[in-house]
Amino acid sequence: MKNFVVKTIANAGALAVAIWLLQDITLTGDDTGREVLTLIVVALLFGLVNSVVKPVVQLLTLPLFILTLGLVTLVVNALMLMLTSWLAGVFDLSFHVDGFWTAVLGGLIISVVSWALNVVLPDND
């Protein structure tokens, strides 16, 4: 359970950095508390997408992973971020990613920040 909370906090922090750095990734709310709650729900949604959908996509695109020496990972991360943005719209959350290249850059930022936060935060159960 503690590992789940740590990963959710890391995802929320990484998403917050991407929102802060890129103007085409937006998260809006009536007040700060609402924005934080939306960020946590989007982080949970992003974690769910990454744990359920991403392994299937990686398996289906395995030849591309081999052919591009793993560079297609950037595209897969961007697609997972765009899927999260679409699902946020379905659930009426105020999170939006505007465009594929923004999603690629956002996915790269989220990967680096999430990795750094997972190194710093404790992950034992």
Side-chain angles (χ1 to χ4, degrees), residues 7-84:
K7 288 193 182 295
T8 301
I9 291 170
N11 276 340
L15 283 164
V17 170
I19 291 165
W20 179 62
L21 289 176
L22 301 174
Q23 69 181 17
D24 289 336
I25 298 178
T26 57
L27 179 98
T28 56
D30 298 334
D31 57 0
T32 305
R34 179 78 174 156
E35 285 183 2
V36 169
L37 181 64
T38 302
L39 181 64
I40 291 171
V41 172
V42 169
L44 288 169
L45 195 60
F46 186 65
L48 184 66
V49 166
N50 278 333
S51 65
V52 175
V53 178
K54 190 175 181 178
V56 174
V57 172
Q58 285 178 331
L59 182 64
L60 293 175
T61 59
L62 185 62
L64 287 175
F65 274 95
I66 295 168
L67 185 66
T68 63
L69 301 175
L71 288 177
V72 77
T73 304
L74 294 172
V75 174
V76 171
N77 287 342
L79 292 174
M80 296 305 107
L81 188 58
M82 291 181 75
L83 178 60
T84 302

